Amino acid sequence: MRRFLWLVPLVLVFAVAAQADEGMWLFSDPPKDMLKKKYNFDEPQSWYDHVRMSSVRFPSGSGSFVSADGLVMTNHHVGVSAIQRLSGLANLKIKNPKDRVDYVRDGFHAKTLAEELQVSGMELLTLVDITDVTARVKGAAAKEMKPEEAFAAKRAEIAKISAEATKGKEYRGDVVTLYQGNKYHLYKYKRHTDVRLVFAPEQQIAFYGGDPANFAYPRYDLDCCFFRVYENGKPAQAKHYLTWSKDGVSENDLVFVSGHPGHTDRLNTVADLEYNRDIRYPAMLQRLNRLEVLYTIYSMISADHERKAKDALFSVANSRKAIYWGLSGLQDASIMNKKKAQEKALRDAVAKNADLKDLGPAWKTVEAVQKVRAANAKRFNLLEGGQGFNTTLFAYARTIVRAADELAKPDAERLTGFNDSAIPTLKFGLEAKRAIDKDFEITKLGDSLGFLVEQLGAKDALVQKVLAGKSPNVRAFDLINGSKLHDADYRKELFEGGKKAVDASKDPMILLAKAIDADARKVRKELETKYQEPNEGAYDKIAQAKFAIEGAGTYPDATFTLRLAYGPVKGYLEDNKKIPFQTTFEGLYATAEQDKNRPPFDLPKRWIDNKAKLNLKTPFNFVCTADIIGGNSGSPVVNRKGEVVGLIFDGNIQSLVWDFVYTDVQGRAVAVNSQAIPEALRAIYDAGDVADEVVNGRRK
Amino acid sequence: MRRFLWLVPLVLVFAVAAQADEGMWLFSDPPKDMLKKKYNFDEPQSWYDHVRMSSVRFPSGSGSFVSADGLVMTNHHVGVSAIQRLSGLANLKIKNPKDRVDYVRDGFHAKTLAEELQVSGMELLTLVDITDVTARVKGAAAKEMKPEEAFAAKRAEIAKISAEATKGKEYRGDVVTLYQGNKYHLYKYKRHTDVRLVFAPEQQIAFYGGDPANFAYPRYDLDCCFFRVYENGKPAQAKHYLTWSKDGVSENDLVFVSGHPGHTDRLNTVADLEYNRDIRYPAMLQRLNRLEVLYTIYSMISADHERKAKDALFSVANSRKAIYWGLSGLQDASIMNKKKAQEKALRDAVAKNADLKDLGPAWKTVEAVQKVRAANAKRFNLLEGGQGFNTTLFAYARTIVRAADELAKPDAERLTGFNDSAIPTLKFGLEAKRAIDKDFEITKLGDSLGFLVEQLGAKDALVQKVLAGKSPNVRAFDLINGSKLHDADYRKELFEGGKKAVDASKDPMILLAKAIDADARKVRKELETKYQEPNEGAYDKIAQAKFAIEGAGTYPDATFTLRLAYGPVKGYLEDNKKIPFQTTFEGLYATAEQDKNRPPFDLPKRWIDNKAKLNLKTPFNFVCTADIIGGNSGSPVVNRKGEVVGLIFDGNIQSLVWDFVYTDVQGRAVAVNSQAIPEALRAIYDAGDVADEVVNGRRK
């Protein structure tokens, strides 16, 4: 049954946090007491360490090792940009347009190791060590310092800590800000830089039902793909990997999710949430709508255009839906009133406690700095965030121009992203070969230059400098056609040539990046010193207040770092109807039948042809209450034994307020069942080799 | 060949107006001297009167009588909303969802008069008389009046003039403001209210190539459909109709276009153009992008959803493309600099002429009132323009609530739209039967309420009243499900019951319309008195200055009233390639072949099946330099003899700056060739009856 979610009134009922299975917990501080008390789950720290070391961070999502031979599982929609890049590179060698490949549309299966395709520029990370460095970072900023001095001192200390953790190119150290400024942890990652594509299904079944089904449930998506990590040209031997459950899940089973939730705003003050509601989310929605139209109409032109824009279109449409329903939640007075009541209770308690009197003004500080944020956000997003220059070539130019300036400075004084600890990752990305499609880049840049003019006004001096007297589309045409940055060798040459080479370059994109750099840095500095630094200081105090009044045992907001969530597998009630906890392949075929295989509910040809080979009773997707958010895509779902029972790929519509508030009355995480994957690999794709490897944990 | 228009730098070269065939001329003042001099065209006034009386105004476009038996030709995309409504009404009687009809997707052909389908609520207009009433209107406002008094006095006089021209329900009088306030003309229309659908092709061929082809050229679109006007239950006998040319056009032929260009801003001052560039166009683009995404994703859900949203989606996508490229033109400094130079020359000349000293300050007035416009536009569009309440049911509620208040006042004091002269049209629309789809209305209203919150802010008192503590989507769900306004009988009952019935109504949509009415009227009045009235006064003076300095013989900006344009049939150069003046059916099949019949370049099944019956050499579409704009869609193209040689349906991308400036270096109007229509009717649609009627000018 297809369901039209805006017809179901999304009335949120708040569960009391103590009862609900809320939380994106740090692996260094999992909620062991709670798990023991509520679920009689009492595994030693080694259980958590093993799950952590088996987990993998993708550039925009999560994954896990599922075989001793370095096989990594993630969502198709996490791997899709890499899969698309592989199509692009393969097509460079193909002369006849009719022979062009599209691995996103048609899927991919390497039948041998030799056929596995290396993804240029893809870096996966495993979190090998966590250290609390709060005292060092906070200690670097003396009390008498001005905000800009404190900011600089902390950043210098962070650079130093990160550098210490980095050994050559094998490891990378990141200092993570937790509780919006209350704690700082050093995360040491092992870098995996030889990553190859093993298997991907057709996007049509990975993202079955397209936008109408996205963030909906029941679902029927085989949203998985497999990569393999190599070391020294051979499959990496993984010490930690997750074994496969053949039994899947039953309703009420306790399960765990290990992944990288990207961003939440649950600890935000009301003023901060109002900023999100009134400014940040509407601006994001406006931009996403614009890009979705642009990429959609571009895709209509031809199959080749569709292929080129596919990843970008998926990404903006996915974000648009999340933002739309998140904003709808923020606009719901009942949610905001609840947040107000919670905040008032905490502030009242602080006011009554003389020991906490230094903490009281923190809320007003957060409120005050929202104005700085509001005044600078638009310009920051356009110039520093790159919204005004939506092309890969500008991103390259920006990196090269900045590196030329930054690398000449001592490590401690550099912009974040240009510290010694980050350079291997930066170079790896810059030098990776990419198939750059000039016409798509012109389209994107022309549109974003138009957006820049609209947002800053045609009379803005910077805008006039950028346009050089031309219309946005003509200027984009000239910039993209004039630049040589599509050539990886030229990028490397400029990067390695340093400031001298960059200063000598006449490349129009380099000249553009140089021309706007002072303005971009200025607005960045304004926000860093007048918003970010005082904001972190205030949230540090608010966190102290929460710990003092409500006790410890809370988790920090999501920061795209590894977290553990948990909860039971469980259906829910919607519009007085019971939504079952799982679906089957049978339901997939029934859904396709319902409207005569009409897109986006059509089945790929293989699924029609091989239907008879498939056990239709196999569970396909299921839901659980584990607390996830964007970034968790590709996270393994494991049972008490640490075995893979599923693969997170989505949340339902009712989970889209989890950005601000968790409720498990209807909100659910959505996963592919572990049983569906080998069944489909064997019956539909003739990929028994991959199925055997995941089930056995080892290649044959 | 498919062409990707953002890859072609749109560098506009300005033609000198005297050489170019610029102008949307009044039928009461056609450029006879110019036509005689340049084209040796010297027909008497009766030629113009015949073309005028054969022309028809549609609710959102143009058309013409093409047979003595009341047959009216227009574009498919002009008729599409009526065609869609007919599908909706037909489906009300169909129980099984699988039997539902979709005349937009599948086309329609009435083989007999009895099968012709009456379009409930559709009103066509013929312009039967034009009178200059400038002296009466301007005379009504005494010099010493305040702006609000002058505004009221002029509106009262306009109501009186309109009422005088209205005889019962048969005629309608509209007073049109020309030259932005310099002249006022009374247009007397004959109303045609029994209109029936005769023939429509599949939208797929009418709008062949979809968005990528829209506003592009070469084209292959059969963008036509036919209605018939009835009188007393029988086909109307048209005294004036256009005869059909069997010869079509050759390059350089002089042709004329008679239609209703909707809106241009060519006489705008620079300050006014900057308002368009900086505020109006970006706001429109933002809203159109949002609606396009909403309707697109709604359409994905099922074939039935697609059918319901089709007209709305076409309309917003079409506007979005026009606005996008129009804005790109406004952002082109070379265009704005040209406008600045022209304005400076005129103002300098005025300054040097003592007789014109009263006119000098007018430009500053226009500049000043743009600030009033900017301050009120957002609220006006949301509350008075209905952007915040995007559902047909709210539009009904607004009309009913307003009518209850307005009809109790003397005619002279009523809001525009509620004068006695307008009531027959208003009632006709209100009482027409419509199939209202609740789920689509909830979707639209929920989204627009969200937009309202974003635009006015969640803390706005009116917003809080509108939402009643709910999220936008939940509120929309309650409003649509609670209202009975989908029922035409209930609407009629409330309208006829007047204020008493409206005050007694507990219908939630009526209550909402009442709740916001004071605020909506307030912002309307603010704009009318502080922007519109002084703006018209200033433009009156600017027009006087132009006439004094540059001489008479210019045409007023477009006002969705009947105009005559002319120019040669003519190809053009683009990117150094010659674009031929016409296409053929052969090119259509080649284009479909190019990407294996991939949507939106796929052919309808009938066109594949009947290819062999078609003369592939038949000219299909052509271009000419006639000066058109949105609203001209459906305009007949006639030759020197007044015969139909084509049917305007689009302009190319380069014509999208014609809103501000005309240039015929590349800009072109795009038309269906008269030869293509009977050929397709016979070979593809087995509709020889319609083909014979257009060719012979009479039913058999």
Side-chain angles (χ1 to χ4, degrees):
Chain A
M1 265 298 286
R2 281 180 213 166
R3 301 170 50 263
F4 319 127
L5 277 144
W6 39 74
L7 299 192
V8 180
L10 299 172
V11 180
L12 291 159
V13 188
F14 284 83
V16 180
Q19 298 175 333
D21 293 312
E22 175 172 352
M24 300 162 170
W25 302 90
L26 298 170
F27 268 86
S28 49
D29 188 18
K32 291 181 183 173
D33 293 346
M34 209 184 296
L35 285 167
K36 186 173 178 188
K37 198 170 148 196
K38 186 166 175 189
Y39 291 105
N40 195 30
F41 180 85
D42 194 19
E43 295 291 334
Q45 184 60 35
S46 59
W47 185 96
Y48 298 94
D49 292 345
H50 173 68
V51 171
R52 166 172 58 82
M53 300 283 279
S54 303
S55 300
V56 169
R57 190 167 95 170
F58 274 74
S60 65
S62 304
S64 58
F65 281 107
V66 292
S67 109
D69 292 303
L71 193 70
V72 172
M73 173 173 75
T74 186
N75 289 148
H76 184 275
H77 79 266
V78 169
V80 67
S81 68
I83 302 170
Q84 180 161 333
R85 287 209 301 277
L86 290 172
S87 298
L89 287 171
N91 287 332
L92 285 185
K93 299 170 198 156
I94 292 170
K95 290 277 170 271
N96 189 339
K98 294 194 174 177
D99 297 330
R100 283 189 190 139
V101 297
D102 185 348
Y103 301 137
V104 176
R105 184 187 60 199
D106 303 327
F108 177 84
H109 175 208
K111 301 224 171 209
T112 63
L113 287 181
E115 286 177 17
E116 296 180 0
L117 292 180
Q118 189 174 25
V119 186
S120 180
M122 188 181 225
E123 174 180 293
L124 306 186
L125 302 172
T126 320
L127 177 57
V128 295
D129 199 37
I130 301 173
T131 318
D132 189 330
V133 294
T134 307
R136 277 186 69 179
V137 175
K138 285 192 181 174
K143 267 210 163 177
E144 64 279 8
M145 284 180 175
K146 289 179 194 160
E148 55 267 37
E149 293 168 342
F151 184 84
K154 282 157 75 178
R155 286 298 165 278
E157 188 64 23
I158 285 171
K160 207 170 146 196
I161 295 168
S162 306
E164 287 165 13
T166 307
K167 295 181 188 164
K169 295 178 178 178
E170 200 181 342
Y171 292 95
R172 176 172 136 187
D174 283 1
V175 173
V176 181
T177 305
L178 299 171
Y179 300 102
Q180 274 98 326
N182 182 258
K183 288 201 165 55
Y184 296 87
H185 284 188
L186 170 64
Y187 279 29
K188 184 175 166 185
Y189 292 106
K190 180 157 168 40
R191 299 175 67 217
H192 309 284
T193 52
D194 185 350
V195 182
R196 307 189 190 179
L197 180 63
V198 177
F199 174 85
E202 310 88 341
Q203 189 183 42
Q204 182 49 28
I205 192 69
F207 188 47
Y208 180 76
D211 185 86
N214 198 16
F215 296 115
Y217 194 76
R219 286 289 277 286
Y220 310 93
D221 289 13
L222 190 72
D223 193 353
C224 70
C225 66
F226 293 91
F227 292 91
R228 192 185 305 284
V229 168
Y230 279 66
E231 274 171 11
N232 304 315
K234 287 187 180 144
Q237 296 307 295
K239 260 194 272 183
H240 291 279
Y241 66 91
L242 301 174
T243 55
W244 202 263
S245 162
K246 288 171 192 164
D247 301 327
V249 289
S250 300
E251 190 147 25
N252 297 317
D253 279 1
L254 173 67
V255 293
F256 298 85
V257 173
S258 171
H260 304 82
H263 179 91
T264 54
D265 288 309
R266 296 194 193 156
L267 303 181
N268 283 21
T269 68
V270 169
D272 203 341
L273 288 174
E274 287 177 346
Y275 177 85
N276 277 285
R277 179 192 64 193
D278 298 337
I279 298 178
R280 186 166 157 256
Y281 271 57
M284 284 196 288
L285 187 57
Q286 178 185 359
R287 183 168 157 72
L288 290 165
N289 278 328
R290 181 185 182 112
L291 291 177
E292 186 162 348
V293 169
L294 185 74
Y295 299 157
T296 299
I297 62 176
Y298 182 83
S299 299
M300 286 181 191
I301 298 173
S302 76
D304 214 41
H305 288 75
E306 186 181 1
R307 176 184 62 72
K308 289 185 271 182
K310 203 171 274 182
D311 171 38
L313 177 55
F314 170 83
S315 171
V316 298
N318 189 54
S319 299
R320 180 262 307 151
K321 198 161 185 178
I323 294 296
Y324 188 94
W325 290 102
L327 179 54
S328 180
L330 283 171
Q331 291 173 340
D332 186 336
S334 68
I335 292 185
M336 201 57 91
N337 289 338
K338 187 87 184 177
K339 286 280 186 183
K340 281 181 187 165
Q342 287 169 346
E343 182 167 305
K344 187 173 184 303
L346 180 59
R347 291 177 72 172
D348 286 352
V350 169
K352 283 181 196 147
N353 187 330
D355 292 347
L356 305 179
K357 75 173 165 39
D358 284 356
L359 309 181
W363 282 268
K364 287 234 177 259
T365 303
V366 172
E367 190 174 346
V369 297
Q370 299 309 314
K371 293 189 184 70
V372 179
R373 209 177 167 191
N376 291 283
K378 193 190 275 185
R379 206 168 172 88
F380 177 87
N381 291 333
L382 289 164
L383 302 185
E384 184 67 14
Q387 284 189 358
F389 308 93
N390 181 19
T391 165
T392 310
L393 297 195
F394 178 82
Y396 287 141
R398 158 70 56 85
T399 301
I400 290 167
V401 166
R402 289 251 164 115
D405 288 329
E406 294 300 312
L407 297 187
K409 301 176 188 171
D411 196 23
E413 291 172 20
R414 293 182 202 157
L415 286 180
T416 303
F418 293 91
N419 292 114
D420 285 340
S421 60
I423 292 302
T425 297
L426 185 151
K427 273 196 71 173
F428 185 63
L430 202 60
E431 294 171 7
K433 288 209 190 308
R434 297 275 294 269
I436 306 280
D437 291 296
K438 287 194 180 181
D439 69 282
F440 190 38
E441 300 304 316
I442 292 169
T443 301
K444 290 189 298 176
L445 180 58
D447 180 76
S448 61
L449 290 178
F451 186 65
L452 179 82
V453 187
E454 290 176 38
Q455 294 284 305
L456 297 184
K459 289 175 180 169
D460 183 283
L462 184 78
V463 166
Q464 296 189 349
K465 190 157 67 173
V466 168
L467 288 188
K470 293 171 183 161
S471 77
N473 291 283
V474 172
R475 178 67 168 138
F477 185 88
D478 293 347
L479 281 166
I480 299 292
N481 280 318
S483 177
K484 287 188 291 176
L485 291 171
H486 57 275
D487 177 357
D489 293 335
Y490 183 64
R491 297 196 295 268
K492 190 175 180 192
E493 184 189 317
L494 277 182
F495 180 80
E496 293 184 347
K499 191 149 176 59
K500 203 176 153 189
V502 170
D503 280 348
S505 172
K506 295 272 179 284
D507 191 283
M509 201 65 83
I510 293 286
L511 294 178
L512 176 67
K514 278 163 72 176
I516 71 157
D517 206 44
D519 288 86
R521 284 174 181 261
K522 191 178 157 198
V523 68
R524 175 181 176 142
K525 184 154 195 180
E526 185 78 7
L527 273 171
E528 282 177 347
T529 57
K530 295 188 184 159
Y531 158 67
Q532 192 178 334
E533 177 61 24
N535 193 58
E536 281 187 12
Y539 270 112
D540 177 10
K541 289 180 179 158
I542 291 169
Q544 290 174 35
K546 281 183 82 78
F547 295 145
I549 304 289
E550 299 170 2
T554 85
Y555 59 94
D557 263 313
T559 50
F560 197 43
T561 50
L562 196 66
R563 303 292 179 86
L564 186 72
Y566 66 93
V569 171
K570 208 168 160 183
Y572 55 102
L573 280 179
E574 193 177 85
D575 212 13
N576 289 321
K577 284 194 269 299
K578 169 85 184 172
I579 309 294
F581 79 99
Q582 74 180 4
T583 64
T584 63
F585 286 137
E586 206 160 34
L588 167 70
Y589 285 95
T591 302
E593 179 61 26
Q594 196 182 315
D595 212 359
K596 298 172 190 165
N597 217 37
R598 175 185 177 275
F601 293 93
D602 53 329
L603 290 166
K605 188 168 180 302
R606 280 194 194 95
W607 283 76
I608 297 170
D609 294 347
N610 295 325
K611 182 180 176 186
K613 296 184 196 161
L614 203 62
N615 176 355
L616 295 178
K617 302 286 180 203
T618 311
F620 196 2
N621 291 171
F622 70 88
V623 284
C624 65
T625 69
D627 189 358
I628 60 152
I629 205 88
N632 267 113
S633 287
S635 299
V637 187
V638 301
N639 60 18
R640 287 169 182 263
K641 290 186 273 181
E643 297 169 336
V644 175
V645 292
L647 171 62
I648 291 290
F649 70 94
D650 210 355
N652 63 3
I653 287 267
Q654 292 92 340
S655 79
L656 288 177
V657 293
W658 287 2
D659 205 348
F660 322 107
V661 58
Y662 175 87
T663 153
D664 65 2
V665 175
Q666 296 182 310
R668 290 293 181 277
V670 187
V672 186
N673 193 299
S674 64
Q675 293 161 304
I677 294 171
E679 177 67 15
L681 285 170
R682 291 188 177 108
I684 304 291
Y685 296 101
D686 192 21
D689 53 327
V690 187
D692 291 344
E693 182 170 356
V694 299
V695 170
N696 302 327
R698 175 162 296 285
R699 292 187 70 235
K700 264 195 190 146
Chain B
M1 265 298 285
R2 283 180 210 166
R3 302 168 54 260
F4 320 129
L5 278 146
W6 40 73
L7 300 191
V8 180
L10 299 172
V11 180
L12 291 159
V13 187
F14 285 84
V16 179
Q19 297 174 334
D21 294 311
E22 174 173 352
M24 301 164 169
W25 301 90
L26 297 170
F27 268 85
S28 49
D29 189 19
K32 291 180 183 173
D33 293 346
M34 208 182 299
L35 285 166
K36 186 173 179 190
K37 199 170 147 196
K38 186 164 174 190
Y39 291 105
N40 195 29
F41 180 84
D42 193 19
E43 295 292 332
Q45 184 60 34
S46 59
W47 186 96
Y48 298 94
D49 292 343
H50 173 70
V51 172
R52 165 171 60 82
M53 299 284 278
S54 303
S55 299
V56 169
R57 190 167 95 169
F58 274 74
S60 64
S62 305
S64 58
F65 281 107
V66 292
S67 108
D69 292 303
L71 194 71
V72 172
M73 173 173 76
T74 186
N75 288 149
H76 184 275
H77 80 266
V78 170
V80 67
S81 68
I83 301 169
Q84 180 161 332
R85 288 209 302 276
L86 290 171
S87 297
L89 287 171
N91 287 331
L92 286 183
K93 299 171 199 155
I94 291 170
K95 290 276 171 272
N96 190 339
K98 294 191 177 183
D99 296 331
R100 283 191 190 136
V101 297
D102 186 346
Y103 301 137
V104 176
R105 184 188 60 201
D106 304 326
F108 177 85
H109 175 208
K111 301 224 171 209
T112 63
L113 287 181
E115 286 177 17
E116 296 181 358
L117 292 180
Q118 190 174 24
V119 186
S120 181
M122 187 182 227
E123 174 180 293
L124 305 186
L125 302 172
T126 320
L127 178 56
V128 295
D129 198 36
I130 302 173
T131 318
D132 189 330
V133 294
T134 308
R136 277 185 70 178
V137 175
K138 285 191 182 174
K143 267 212 163 179
E144 64 280 9
M145 285 181 175
K146 289 178 195 164
E148 56 267 37
E149 292 167 343
F151 184 84
K154 281 157 74 178
R155 286 298 165 278
E157 189 64 24
I158 285 171
K160 208 170 145 196
I161 296 168
S162 306
E164 288 165 11
T166 308
K167 294 182 188 165
K169 295 178 178 179
E170 200 181 342
Y171 292 94
R172 178 172 134 188
D174 284 0
V175 173
V176 181
T177 307
L178 299 169
Y179 300 101
Q180 274 99 326
N182 182 257
K183 287 202 164 56
Y184 296 86
H185 284 187
L186 170 65
Y187 278 29
K188 183 175 166 187
Y189 292 107
K190 177 154 171 47
R191 298 175 66 219
H192 308 285
T193 53
D194 184 350
V195 182
R196 308 189 189 179
L197 181 62
V198 176
F199 174 86
E202 309 88 341
Q203 190 184 41
Q204 183 48 28
I205 192 68
F207 188 48
Y208 181 75
D211 185 85
N214 198 16
F215 296 115
Y217 194 76
R219 286 289 277 287
Y220 310 92
D221 289 14
L222 190 71
D223 194 353
C224 70
C225 65
F226 293 91
F227 293 91
R228 191 184 306 283
V229 169
Y230 279 67
E231 274 171 10
N232 304 316
K234 288 187 179 144
Q237 295 308 296
K239 258 194 270 182
H240 292 279
Y241 67 91
L242 302 173
T243 54
W244 203 262
S245 161
K246 287 170 191 166
D247 302 326
V249 289
S250 301
E251 190 148 25
N252 298 315
D253 279 0
L254 173 67
V255 293
F256 298 84
V257 174
S258 170
H260 303 81
H263 180 91
T264 53
D265 288 309
R266 296 194 192 155
L267 302 180
N268 283 21
T269 68
V270 169
D272 203 341
L273 287 174
E274 288 177 346
Y275 177 86
N276 277 285
R277 179 192 65 194
D278 298 337
I279 298 179
R280 185 165 158 256
Y281 270 57
M284 284 196 288
L285 188 57
Q286 177 185 359
R287 183 169 159 71
L288 291 166
N289 278 328
R290 181 183 182 114
L291 291 177
E292 186 163 349
V293 168
L294 186 74
Y295 298 157
T296 300
I297 63 176
Y298 182 84
S299 299
M300 287 180 190
I301 297 173
S302 76
D304 213 41
H305 288 75
E306 186 182 2
R307 176 184 61 75
K308 289 186 272 185
K310 202 170 274 180
D311 171 40
L313 177 55
F314 170 82
S315 171
V316 298
N318 190 54
S319 298
R320 179 262 308 150
K321 198 161 186 179
I323 295 296
Y324 188 93
W325 289 102
L327 179 54
S328 180
L330 283 171
Q331 290 173 341
D332 187 335
S334 68
I335 292 187
M336 201 59 91
N337 289 339
K338 186 86 183 178
K339 286 281 185 183
K340 281 180 188 166
Q342 287 170 345
E343 182 168 306
K344 188 173 182 302
L346 180 58
R347 289 176 74 171
D348 286 352
V350 169
K352 280 181 199 148
N353 187 331
D355 294 345
L356 304 179
K357 74 174 166 38
D358 284 354
L359 308 180
W363 283 267
K364 288 235 177 257
T365 303
V366 171
E367 189 175 347
V369 297
Q370 300 309 315
K371 294 190 184 71
V372 179
R373 209 176 166 192
N376 291 283
K378 193 191 276 187
R379 207 169 171 86
F380 178 87
N381 291 333
L382 289 164
L383 303 186
E384 185 66 15
Q387 283 188 356
F389 308 93
N390 181 18
T391 164
T392 310
L393 296 194
F394 179 81
Y396 286 142
R398 157 70 55 86
T399 302
I400 290 167
V401 165
R402 289 250 165 115
D405 288 330
E406 294 301 312
L407 296 187
K409 300 176 188 170
D411 195 24
E413 291 172 20
R414 294 182 201 158
L415 287 179
T416 303
F418 294 92
N419 291 115
D420 285 339
S421 60
I423 292 301
T425 296
L426 185 152
K427 274 196 70 174
F428 185 63
L430 202 59
E431 294 171 7
K433 289 208 190 307
R434 298 275 294 268
I436 307 281
D437 291 296
K438 287 194 180 182
D439 69 286
F440 190 39
E441 299 304 316
I442 292 169
T443 302
K444 290 188 300 177
L445 179 58
D447 180 76
S448 61
L449 290 178
F451 186 66
L452 179 81
V453 187
E454 289 174 38
Q455 293 285 306
L456 297 184
K459 288 176 180 169
D460 183 282
L462 184 79
V463 166
Q464 296 190 349
K465 190 157 68 170
V466 167
L467 288 187
K470 293 170 182 161
S471 76
N473 289 282
V474 172
R475 179 68 169 139
F477 185 87
D478 294 348
L479 282 166
I480 299 292
N481 280 317
S483 176
K484 287 188 291 177
L485 291 172
H486 57 274
D487 177 356
D489 293 335
Y490 183 63
R491 297 195 295 269
K492 190 175 178 190
E493 184 189 316
L494 277 182
F495 180 80
E496 291 184 346
K499 191 149 178 59
K500 203 175 153 189
V502 170
D503 280 349
S505 172
K506 296 270 177 285
D507 192 282
M509 202 65 83
I510 293 285
L511 295 177
L512 176 66
K514 278 163 73 176
I516 71 157
D517 206 45
D519 288 85
R521 283 173 181 264
K522 191 177 157 197
V523 68
R524 175 180 176 142
K525 184 154 194 180
E526 185 78 6
L527 273 170
E528 282 177 347
T529 57
K530 294 185 184 160
Y531 159 66
Q532 193 178 333
E533 177 61 24
N535 193 59
E536 280 188 11
Y539 270 112
D540 176 11
K541 288 179 181 159
I542 291 169
Q544 290 173 34
K546 280 182 83 76
F547 295 145
I549 304 290
E550 299 170 2
T554 86
Y555 59 94
D557 263 313
T559 50
F560 197 42
T561 50
L562 196 65
R563 304 291 179 88
L564 186 71
Y566 66 92
V569 171
K570 206 168 162 185
Y572 54 102
L573 280 179
E574 193 178 85
D575 212 14
N576 288 320
K577 284 193 271 299
K578 169 85 183 174
I579 309 295
F581 80 98
Q582 75 179 3
T583 64
T584 63
F585 286 136
E586 206 159 34
L588 167 70
Y589 285 96
T591 303
E593 179 61 26
Q594 195 181 314
D595 212 1
K596 296 172 191 164
N597 216 37
R598 174 185 178 275
F601 293 93
D602 53 329
L603 290 167
K605 188 169 180 303
R606 279 194 195 98
W607 285 75
I608 297 170
D609 295 347
N610 295 324
K611 183 179 175 186
K613 296 183 195 161
L614 204 62
N615 177 356
L616 296 178
K617 302 287 181 202
T618 309
F620 195 2
N621 291 172
F622 70 89
V623 285
C624 65
T625 69
D627 188 358
I628 60 153
I629 205 89
N632 267 113
S633 287
S635 300
V637 186
V638 300
N639 60 18
R640 288 169 181 259
K641 289 186 274 180
E643 296 168 335
V644 175
V645 290
L647 171 63
I648 290 290
F649 70 95
D650 211 355
N652 63 2
I653 286 266
Q654 293 90 340
S655 79
L656 288 176
V657 293
W658 286 3
D659 204 348
F660 323 106
V661 59
Y662 175 87
T663 152
D664 66 1
V665 175
Q666 296 181 310
R668 290 293 182 276
V670 187
V672 186
N673 193 300
S674 65
Q675 292 161 305
I677 294 172
E679 176 67 15
L681 285 170
R682 292 190 176 108
I684 304 289
Y685 296 100
D686 191 21
D689 54 327
V690 187
D692 290 345
E693 184 171 353
V694 298
V695 171
N696 303 327
R698 173 162 299 283
R699 292 187 70 235
K700 260 192 192 151

